Amino acid sequence: EVRLVESGGGLVKPGGSLRLSCVGSGFTFSSYTITWVRQAPGKGLEYVSSISRSSSLKYYADSGKGRFAISRDNADNSAYLQMNSLRAEDTAVYYCVKGDQRDYWGQGTPVTVSS
Amino acid sequence: QSVLTQPPSVSAAPGQKVTISCSGSNSNIGNKYVSWYQQLPGTAPKLLISKDDERASGIPDRFSGSKSGTSATLGITGLQTGDEADYYCGTWDSSLDVWVFGGGTKLTVL
């Protein structure tokens, strides 16, 4: 069974940092792109960032460029999203998603940016 | 403002059919595969359709996808109350180099 489990979310003050983690199981983690997608309360889905299988390619939405950094460790079946200089508008549930077809999603980890 | 355009809401009676449209451009739908996702209240999105028209594992054939030019369509037949959810289209945009989503369509089964 394919599983993606996110962690690391929480309450942080504006300007603060968080590091989200995603652990995959039930598939060959190193063979798939990993994407982070977020959903603000009551809003739609928003792409955040993607990383290729070997980490050679990394993509970011404009909203996170210069503030977010995606990485992965295939030996640990893990992907990460380092988020710095957080803003209130970054408040959302952050999902980890498998593959180029974005076929499996984790349950999400909530991030709240508030003073 | 989403790169892909979906109607905010659609509705139909149980047993009926509904279609949800997703409109884009040549840099996304026109040249890339489209996926469709279902998000039931309080849950994570689930893949319904990938590569324009391929049902994901375990998805009943009541759900179908199609594409023509720069528009894609999700069809649902034999509507059930359990189909009430938000539906999103998504694809890669080769100009923006990001995955783009539609704004989502809320399906109400009356």
Side-chain angles (χ1 to χ4, degrees):
Chain A
E1 178 195 6
V2 173
R3 287 196 73 201
L4 294 156
V5 180
E6 304 93 337
S7 62
L11 174 63
V12 62
K13 289 181 167 55
S17 297
L18 277 178
R19 188 192 194 210
L20 306 184
S21 299
C22 167
V23 178
S25 61
F27 64 101
T28 304
F29 188 84
S30 60
S31 296
Y32 294 92
T33 294
I34 295 295
T35 297
W36 288 94
V37 174
R38 69 185 182 183
Q39 187 170 33
K43 301 297 184 182
L45 303 174
E46 180 188 12
Y47 172 88
V48 175
S49 182
S50 291
I51 187 167
S52 64
R53 291 171 293 179
S54 64
S55 303
S56 59
L57 297 173
K58 300 177 182 180
Y59 302 94
Y60 298 93
D62 285 347
S63 57
K65 280 180 182 173
R67 301 189 300 128
F68 294 176
I70 193 170
S71 61
R72 67 188 295 163
D73 183 342
N74 288 336
D76 282 343
N77 292 340
S78 296
Y80 306 96
L81 185 68
Q82 177 69 42
M83 303 189 296
N84 301 324
S85 303
L86 283 163
R87 308 164 179 164
E89 53 264 37
D90 296 318
T91 294
V93 174
Y94 285 72
Y95 296 102
C96 172
V97 188
K98 164 188 167 283
D100 290 335
Q101 300 307 315
R102 280 73 186 177
D103 53 2
Y104 285 92
W105 297 55
Q107 84 290 348
T109 186
V111 171
T112 302
V113 184
S114 175
S115 54
Chain B
Q1 187 100 4
S2 302
V3 173
L4 305 180
T5 302
Q6 296 180 234
S9 63
V10 295
S11 62
Q16 297 301 302
K17 173 183 177 178
V18 70
T19 60
I20 298 172
S21 61
C22 176
S23 177
S25 67
N26 286 323
S27 65
N28 44 66
I29 293 178
N31 285 288
K32 299 293 182 182
Y33 286 128
V34 176
S35 298
W36 287 93
Y37 303 91
Q38 176 193 61
Q39 187 175 31
L40 297 168
T43 69
K46 179 176 76 171
L47 178 69
L48 294 175
I49 302 288
S50 67
K51 295 184 178 179
D52 299 339
D53 58 9
E54 295 184 5
R55 276 186 301 278
S57 176
I59 301 302
D61 58 8
R62 299 189 299 107
F63 294 87
S64 64
S66 64
K67 189 174 83 174
S68 178
T70 59
S71 292
T73 302
L74 174 69
I76 311 173
T77 60
L79 279 170
Q80 303 171 3
T81 55
D83 296 331
E84 287 201 333
D86 293 322
Y87 292 84
Y88 295 90
C89 57
T91 186
W92 187 258
D93 189 296
S94 55
S95 292
L96 300 174
D97 266 347
V98 296
W99 186 265
V100 291
F101 290 100
T105 299
K106 183 175 182 61
L107 169 63
T108 301
V109 181
L110 302 168

